[in-house]
Amino acid sequence: PDARYAVDSVVQEALLAFFDFNPKALSALAAKAVAAQRAAEAARAARDLLRTKSAMQRTVLPGKLADCSSTRAHESELFIVEGDSAGGS
């Protein structure tokens, strides 16, 4: 722990001195950090969306219901039937 404190102290002083003389480098570093954070958030959102889509695709519809394989309305039909024998069994 003592060595870590000493190293942190020396590095902090050196970085402060460097950034005092090079404010453009500090701005560039800050911009990269912000961009990396935004990219990480976008990746996390994409992973969450993919998990949500995967969970929805694995959902099995109950009974005699079947999911449409097309998203185009003119290619899909809706049959409303009544009773157990109406399912074609």
Side-chain angles (χ1 to χ4, degrees):
D2 293 332
R4 180 176 181 168
Y5 176 75
V7 170
D8 286 348
S9 171
V10 170
V11 169
Q12 180 183 8
E13 289 175 20
L15 283 175
L16 287 175
F18 176 78
F19 289 135
D20 280 343
F21 291 109
N22 300 299
K24 288 183 182 180
L26 179 60
S27 296
L29 182 66
K32 284 189 178 206
V34 169
Q37 178 63 29
R38 287 183 183 156
E41 288 175 4
R44 186 177 308 113
R47 279 192 309 271
D48 291 344
L49 181 63
L50 183 61
R51 277 191 216 119
T52 303
K53 281 185 176 182
S54 295
M56 292 174 73
Q57 290 173 351
R58 283 183 265 149
T59 304
V60 177
L61 294 172
K64 296 177 181 171
L65 299 176
D67 193 15
C68 291
S69 59
S70 176
T71 57
R72 297 182 183 142
H74 69 277
E75 293 179 354
S76 302
E77 296 178 301
L78 174 64
F79 293 98
I80 301 176
V81 295
E82 194 174 333
D84 288 336
S85 63
S89 56

